[in-house]
Amino acid sequence: MPLVKLTAAGIEPVETVWTRLGGEDAVPATGAVLVPLARWQAEKDSLLARADAVGVWLAAGETADSISGDLDRLTVVALDFPAFSDGRAYSTARLLRDRFGYRGELRAIGDVLLDQLIQMVRTGFDALDVKAPVSGAAVTVETIQAALSRYSLVYQVAHDPRPPVSALRRRLAAGGQA
Amino acid sequence: MYRYDEFDHQVVRERVAEFSDQVARRLSGDLSEEQFRPLRLMNGVYLQLHAYMLRVAVPYGELTSGKMRRLAHIARVYDRGYGHFTTRQNIQFNWPKLSDIPAILRELAEVEMHAIQTSGNCIRNVTTDAFAGVAADEIEDPRPWAEVLRQWSTFHPEFTYLPRKFKIAISGGAQDRAATFFHDIGIRLVRAESGDVGFQIIVGGGMGRTPRVGRVLNGFVAKSEILSYLEAILRVYNLHGRRDNKYKARIKILVDALTLEGFRAEVDAEWDRIRGSVVEVPAEEVERIGAYFADPDWQALADNPPELAAARSRSAAFNGWVSANVMAHRVPGYAAVTVSLKPVGGIPGDATADQMDALADFADRYSLGALRVSKEQNIVLPFVRQDQLYALWQALVAEGLATANKGLISDIIACPGLDYCALANARSIPLAQMISERFSDIARQHDIGEVTLNISGCINACGHHHVGNIGILGVDKRGEESYQLVLGGDATQTAAIGDIAGPGFTAEGVVDAIETVIGVYLAQRQTGEPFIDTYRRIGLTPFKEAINAAR
Ligand code: HEM
Ligand code: SF4
């Protein structure tokens, strides 16, 4: 289950081991942790006082508003896909990025399959915790790269900087290169 | 009609490659059926009772002769020689092999067609009026906007895994021929007092077990702000629509829960932030798309040419066909012809490969190569010269395609029902066949006049029984097929959901009950009054009493 980060340089595997905590789990003494929203709200200060990295994960029904006041203190926000057919996190990502201006890492966790990575990147995720297919076939930087380059064109403006087809047409009509 | 440029071709080619890869991963076992399901559903591949079914998009119902020929070819080579045109202006093939689907998609891509978003919980193929660009009552042609919406909704990254499927219809006519009040979003072109043309936005219409007439969310949205408005609606729905129960997941349920005002407040709050922003389609792109829908070079012709009048008085059959199936065109001397896919005793909406080829030929010969699929599951030839109507009719007669029943009682909309569908309680197609045989006398049908008849095999209402002037619903009565009769539904701008007139009919019983209903109408109607108007005037009771008396 590789965690990768998308940077200007490309796709980079993340070496840090992150532990995702549930509501009841004890916070380990060391190591990077992702804590659920309620834990974050109750234990912010002690969590931030730890030496190792802390991120918050939101369940699919939890809103961007619920964390908007803390975004400047957070370097990692993770949004959970409880099933890959549950698309709420795409809109939550748009709101975190576009309405609340969050600039830190936005990580997709849960049922994150190769077939949805493009949508995730387009709605503002820049870290992907990609799940292996049922066959057990390996997910590698190469397979992630292939999944992300599947479509060379997009029709609509989203969070990512890709110009929509209409802009390419305009350039072409103006005598430029698409 | 719209033609792909290199960009559109590229998108579809890449989709074919992706789906072919997904099929290969399914066939090799890399993907479980459970994981493949949402992927295939994003591409119109359903699992039916007996086989996979492939639904091919006909964006806003527009076809060319070349596309129709390719559909015929696919029916012949990969299916059992026929296809089924649907109420959402698409075509379905009932018997393709999963391993053939990549090849079918490649063949479709060559003629600028695909199966993208014809199923799944995403924004489905946008539908419109089959007489768009033709009807005289049109404020503006909705097709350029339907194409704008097609492109905007294609692989929209945020709205691909919605709580439930999402259907949008757009209509430009004063008469609503696109059922905009029965879609998740209905869009009507309207002219403001200022003279500006924009959009009225209707939200939360639908059928199924919770039928709803859509409600007006916004009376006028400017063209330059339409995409942000739609994105605001979809974002609110995507975040707050129910996901715990698929029968409560449509946007209509969210609008009920928040109330229209509450829902509007949410949408407006989001819209204020993004309205008129980079998400909008640039004006020059609208212009570029609009140019594809420019008028052909019309010839200067007069209405009612002498040839037509002579042929009408010579042949009663032709005359009957003209009065039912031929619609006036906004351009003098032309007409829009509906080719009925509802022959007596036939399967509503089915066409054989040979018929599809014949229709393509007729389109080339008589309709500038253009065809449309109507939501009534018929084919429209939109640009026929009136002086060629007789020749066209003769050609249609030879192919068994000249049934003169458009808008009449045997122009039945029926879902697949128990013959194909795993969810069905009762058969729909055999019942449609029985009704069309019972009313096969075409002179009698013309006397009864305009009436819509819709049949669904279960409460999911794929056959739109809630909005038929006469609707029939298949129900399960202790393991027996049984039918319920509904009256007074209306899918147009005078939208209404039908009233239950009687439960517990057998198939024969429901046909008899329809006979009784028609008898009451004929006895009570005033001169020139269609069924729905008589129904509204006299109400359900006289019909119900007569049905009960006849039982
Ligand atoms: C044979 C397999 C089919 C199955 C299993 C099926 C299943 C369903 C279900 C479950 C719904 C309810 C959806 C909801 O309310 O959320 C529905 C609605 C609908 N289906 Fe089908 N359907 C089938 C075939 C068709 C066909 C062939 C057509 C077109 C001719 C069609 C057109 C529709 C329409 C127009 C609606 C309802 C309107 C709406 O609320 O959107 N379906 N179908
Ligand atoms: S209405 Fe019911 S029986 Fe008919 S196709 Fe839809 S789900 Fe099947």
Side-chain angles (χ1 to χ4, degrees), chain B residues 415-418 421-426 428 456-463:
Chain B
C415 79
L418 204 51
C421 176
L423 306 177
N425 291 322
S428 306
S456 305
C458 80
I459 194 62
N460 287 317
C462 304

Side-chain angles (χ1 to χ4, degrees), chain B residues 81-98:
Chain B
Y82 68 97
H84 178 75
F85 290 97
T86 78
T87 51
R88 297 206 74 257
Q89 302 183 294
N90 292 324
I91 182 167
Q92 296 180 177
F93 295 105
N94 282 308
W95 308 97
K97 288 207 286 291
L98 183 59

Side-chain angles (χ1 to χ4, degrees), chain B residues 36-303:
Chain B
F36 181 56
R37 192 172 168 276
L39 299 176
R40 67 170 163 76
L41 283 181
M42 216 58 83
N43 211 58
V45 180
Y46 280 88
L47 199 52
Q48 294 199 132
L49 264 185
H50 313 290
Y52 280 111
M53 176 268 272
L54 175 66
R55 184 180 293 153
V56 174
V58 180
Y60 38 95
E62 277 223 320
L63 285 172
T64 57
S65 51
K67 292 181 181 189
M68 188 64 119
R69 279 193 193 94
R70 186 58 58 95
L71 295 175
H73 166 79
I74 288 168
R76 205 171 273 126
V77 173
Y78 302 100
D79 204 288
R80 298 187 179 171
Y82 68 97
H84 178 75
F85 290 97
T86 78
T87 51
R88 297 206 74 257
Q89 302 183 294
N90 292 324
I91 182 167
Q92 296 180 177
F93 295 105
N94 282 308
W95 308 97
K97 288 207 286 291
L98 183 59
S99 53
D100 278 342
I101 288 178
I104 298 175
L105 295 178
R106 277 193 297 276
E107 297 233 23
L108 288 169
E110 286 171 9
V111 294
E112 307 181 6
M113 293 186 80
H114 57 70
I116 295 167
Q117 290 170 214
T118 55
S119 52
N121 294 335
C122 51
I123 302 172
R124 302 288 189 87
N125 184 30
V126 174
T127 55
T128 191
D129 181 358
F131 298 99
V134 170
D137 69 347
E138 202 157 78
I139 290 163
E140 264 179 27
D141 188 342
R143 291 173 301 165
W145 291 100
E147 175 60 25
V148 166
L149 296 181
R150 182 190 76 83
Q151 297 191 17
W152 161 75
S153 62
T154 297
F155 306 136
H156 197 297
E158 192 180 342
F159 306 131
T160 298
Y161 295 96
L162 295 167
R164 202 73 179 88
K165 58 185 168 181
F166 203 89
K167 300 178 181 180
I168 301 179
I170 178 165
S171 157
Q175 174 80 16
D176 176 8
R177 285 169 293 262
T180 54
F181 283 93
F182 292 98
H183 281 74
D184 295 288
I185 293 180
I187 305 177
R188 298 187 74 193
L189 280 147
V190 288
R191 193 183 303 281
E193 273 176 32
S194 65
D196 288 350
V197 173
F199 305 105
Q200 181 189 54
I201 308 293
I202 298 153
V203 73
M207 320 254 184
R209 61 192 64 201
T210 325
R212 285 286 179 278
V213 176
R215 286 156 273 183
V216 176
L217 188 64
N218 193 318
F220 190 90
V221 174
K223 288 175 174 174
S224 59
E225 299 184 332
I226 182 66
L227 293 189
S228 59
Y229 196 69
L230 297 179
E231 293 220 348
I233 296 175
L234 266 300
R235 190 163 294 148
V236 169
Y237 171 57
N238 189 37
L239 285 167
H240 303 297
R242 283 182 65 171
R243 290 176 187 262
D244 58 332
N245 178 342
K246 74 172 189 165
Y247 295 111
K248 297 200 174 351
R250 296 291 286 268
I251 196 171
K252 61 191 172 189
I253 306 290
L254 180 64
V255 176
D256 280 357
L258 297 178
T259 74
L260 182 64
E261 292 66 36
F263 181 77
R264 184 183 289 130
E266 294 269 342
V267 169
D268 285 348
E270 181 60 12
W271 190 35
D272 278 346
R273 195 175 63 78
I274 58 174
R275 113 184 244 189
S277 67
V278 288
V279 306
E280 304 297 350
V281 55
E284 74 263 21
E285 176 68 0
V286 179
E287 217 169 281
R288 184 192 75 88
I289 290 172
Y292 286 102
F293 299 95
D295 274 350
D297 288 329
W298 305 114
Q299 313 211 7
L301 301 169
D303 273 333

Side-chain angles (χ1 to χ4, degrees), chain B residues 454-520:
Chain B
N454 297 55
I455 308 173
S456 305
C458 80
I459 194 62
N460 287 317
C462 304
H464 302 187
H465 68 278
H466 295 297
V467 296
N469 297 166
I470 300 174
I472 301 168
L473 165 65
V475 287
D476 177 77
K477 206 173 138 197
R478 286 173 244 103
E480 301 270 311
E481 284 175 81
S482 167
Y483 297 93
Q484 186 181 82
L485 186 66
V486 175
L487 295 176
D490 179 353
T492 72
Q493 70 282 359
T494 42
I497 291 161
D499 311 308
I500 297 173
F505 294 103
T506 60
E508 289 77 19
V510 85
V511 183
D512 290 339
I514 291 170
E515 218 34 282
T516 306
V517 164
I518 293 298
V520 172

Side-chain angles (χ1 to χ4, degrees), chain B residues 209-436:
Chain B
R209 61 192 64 201
T210 325
R212 285 286 179 278
V213 176
R215 286 156 273 183
V216 176
L217 188 64
N218 193 318
F220 190 90
V221 174
K223 288 175 174 174
S224 59
E225 299 184 332
I226 182 66
L227 293 189
S228 59
Y229 196 69
L230 297 179
E231 293 220 348
I233 296 175
L234 266 300
R235 190 163 294 148
V236 169
Y237 171 57
N238 189 37
L239 285 167
H240 303 297
R242 283 182 65 171
R243 290 176 187 262
D244 58 332
N245 178 342
K246 74 172 189 165
Y247 295 111
K248 297 200 174 351
R250 296 291 286 268
I251 196 171
K252 61 191 172 189
I253 306 290
L254 180 64
V255 176
D256 280 357
L258 297 178
T259 74
L260 182 64
E261 292 66 36
F263 181 77
R264 184 183 289 130
E266 294 269 342
V267 169
D268 285 348
E270 181 60 12
W271 190 35
D272 278 346
R273 195 175 63 78
I274 58 174
R275 113 184 244 189
S277 67
V278 288
V279 306
E280 304 297 350
V281 55
E284 74 263 21
E285 176 68 0
V286 179
E287 217 169 281
R288 184 192 75 88
I289 290 172
Y292 286 102
F293 299 95
D295 274 350
D297 288 329
W298 305 114
Q299 313 211 7
L301 301 169
D303 273 333
N304 292 317
E307 300 91 317
L308 176 61
R312 290 187 76 161
S313 57
R314 213 167 48 235
S315 161
F318 174 64
N319 187 44
W321 178 79
V322 172
S323 30
N325 293 39
V326 174
M327 192 176 106
H329 201 291
R330 66 185 164 78
V331 178
Y334 287 84
V337 167
T338 297
V339 178
S340 169
L341 298 182
K342 322 285 178 68
V344 173
I347 297 177
D350 273 14
T352 65
D354 290 347
Q355 286 177 327
M356 290 185 230
D357 274 336
L359 285 166
D361 289 346
F362 302 157
D364 279 337
R365 234 182 295 156
Y366 300 108
S367 183
L368 308 176
L371 308 102
R372 312 270 176 85
V373 183
S374 77
K375 77 171 171 47
E376 289 76 22
Q377 303 177 277
N378 293 317
I379 300 295
V380 171
L381 298 173
F383 306 129
V384 181
R385 285 172 56 148
Q386 292 176 11
D387 57 6
Q388 296 187 339
L389 282 169
Y390 188 66
L392 169 60
W393 177 73
Q394 285 179 306
L396 290 170
V397 169
E399 295 295 332
L401 288 169
T403 314
N405 62 349
K406 188 214 160 198
L408 304 181
I409 196 163
S410 66
D411 189 3
I412 298 168
I413 293 175
C415 79
L418 204 51
D419 295 287
Y420 294 95
C421 176
L423 306 177
N425 291 322
R427 286 169 296 172
S428 306
I429 293 169
L431 182 61
Q433 291 168 319
M434 280 171 68
I435 296 168
S436 95

